[in-house]
Amino acid sequence: MDWLKDINVLIFDMDGTLYQDYSFMGRYIQKMMQANHTESEIQQTVALAYDILEGKKSIKLGFLYDPKELIFYSHNDLNPVISYNWDGIEIEMAQRGDGPLAYIGDPWGIAHLMGIKNNIAEETMKKAFEDVRAEMLMAAYCIIKRTDLFDEIKKLENKKAILMTNSPLPTGQEFVDFLEIGDVFDEYYFNGKKPHGIQALMDKLFDEGYQPQEILSIGDHPWNDLYPIHKAGGHTCLISQYEHNDATRWSASVKTIDELVDIVRQLNEATITAN
């Protein structure tokens, strides 16, 4: 990865990037459905959600979908190619309405899809989100702090390290405090409204004089974290233990935080060599 020597800005996602936890998804879905669904219905929905995450269904992580019609699309560079119904059966490409398509990018997105399918009210989904987020910082379910990654980011010299998360306040700040990363990054953006937020951040970086090839965006959700930088000619790193049905060629792809630590370490070594 010779391009690492050119990187002067790193944009990190938080959830699924600075820590990896896939166990929350089942609890999130259960909290959404527990008031109005049977235990059998909940367990079937949780099983389906993990089957999608693990690539066991025709509907895949990395698909686009219409949230109103629940029609799903494989795609080429975000251009729909083949359409499927909820059961994963290929159907004739339908005339699309004016509404935007969503992207199944991570476990949070899969859980949200299950909420839409089961007609869960937005307020109920929001409450379930808040409850499971709080639970993730409790002893029984707490996320793992990867201090080795944070230490490696701290070593970056003459480079701008940015944290941008779609997690709103106060939960975004609570996770930063729990992970003890309040002094790791140069800039923090909560409720980032990615992908539009990362586009605005990129424009800001361009105004500051940075070039696309100097920017590396790292995240587990291609639509939110990677596509805007990729389309502008910047560098991207997807981190996910699960395969995305997305043929886009990212600058790097890793499955684990161990591998991500290695990339940041390589960047530090490239900086030392250059100096």
Side-chain angles (χ1 to χ4, degrees):
M1 293 189 287
D2 290 342
W3 52 267
L4 278 174
K5 69 181 186 303
D6 298 322
I7 299 300
N8 286 313
V9 180
L10 295 92
I11 306 169
F12 289 84
D13 173 49
M14 182 167 69
D15 302 302
T17 301
L18 300 186
Y19 71 89
Q20 286 183 301
D21 174 31
Y22 300 101
S23 65
F24 76 86
M25 185 170 68
R27 304 194 307 275
Y28 185 12
I29 292 169
Q30 183 166 16
K31 292 175 187 298
M32 283 194 293
M33 298 180 64
Q34 61 190 1
N36 297 304
H37 293 79
T38 67
E39 185 61 27
S40 176
E41 290 172 331
I42 293 171
Q43 292 307 314
Q44 289 176 9
T45 303
V46 169
L48 173 60
Y50 278 102
D51 281 348
I52 292 173
L53 180 65
E54 295 166 6
K56 297 177 180 178
K57 292 293 183 180
S58 297
I59 296 171
K60 306 288 186 182
L61 194 66
F63 270 21
L64 299 168
Y65 73 97
D66 184 327
K68 292 184 177 179
E69 303 295 333
L70 287 182
I71 296 174
F72 301 82
Y73 302 90
S74 61
H75 63 92
N76 183 2
D77 197 24
L78 301 181
N79 296 307
V81 175
I82 302 173
S83 58
Y84 304 83
N85 63 16
W86 176 261
D87 296 316
I89 297 171
E90 185 176 335
I91 59 175
E92 184 177 355
M93 188 69 75
Q95 182 70 34
R96 283 199 44 233
D98 296 331
L101 295 179
Y103 185 102
I104 308 176
D106 60 11
W108 299 99
I110 294 175
H112 188 76
L113 171 61
M114 296 301 127
I116 294 173
K117 173 61 176 175
N118 288 280
N119 298 311
I120 306 298
E122 284 291 335
E123 288 186 4
T124 302
M125 285 199 277
K126 182 175 183 291
K127 179 64 164 56
F129 171 82
E130 292 170 349
D131 288 351
V132 81
R133 295 280 295 185
E135 193 177 77
M136 291 167 75
L137 304 184
M138 297 177 181
Y141 302 109
C142 71
I143 58 178
I144 296 173
K145 302 178 186 181
R146 289 301 301 263
T147 55
D148 53 344
L149 174 61
F150 310 148
D151 289 344
E152 207 63 43
I153 296 171
K154 280 184 178 181
K155 293 178 186 177
L156 292 167
E157 292 186 4
N158 302 316
K159 301 186 190 302
K160 186 189 291 282
I162 299 171
L163 176 66
M164 174 172 272
T165 174
N166 276 358
S167 294
L169 294 171
T171 181
Q173 185 65 58
E174 290 167 353
F175 270 60
V176 165
D177 294 343
F178 179 84
L179 293 169
E180 300 179 292
I181 55 174
D183 62 347
V184 170
F185 298 93
D186 300 300
E187 298 176 11
Y188 294 79
Y189 296 89
F190 301 102
N191 195 23
K193 295 182 171 59
K194 296 183 286 186
H196 302 298
I198 206 165
Q199 178 68 54
L201 174 60
M202 185 169 55
D203 292 341
K204 174 178 175 288
L205 291 170
F206 291 162
D207 289 342
E208 293 174 4
Y210 292 102
Q211 299 300 310
Q213 66 272 16
E214 296 180 83
I215 302 171
L216 169 61
S217 185
I218 303 166
D220 69 323
H221 193 303
W223 175 279
N224 285 343
D225 304 320
L226 307 183
Y227 267 108
I229 303 296
H230 173 74
K231 287 183 174 295
H235 289 286
T236 51
C237 176
L238 174 66
I239 174 170
S240 177
Q241 290 185 10
Y242 298 100
E243 182 178 354
H244 284 66
N245 195 274
D246 188 324
T248 307
R249 293 178 63 87
W250 312 118
S251 305
S253 293
V254 299
K255 292 184 176 181
T256 67
I257 290 181
D258 287 336
E259 294 175 275
L260 180 55
V261 171
D262 187 57
I263 285 181
V264 181
R265 185 175 292 123
Q266 289 181 54
L267 180 56
N268 276 323
E269 290 171 354
T271 302
I272 292 171
T273 301
N275 291 337

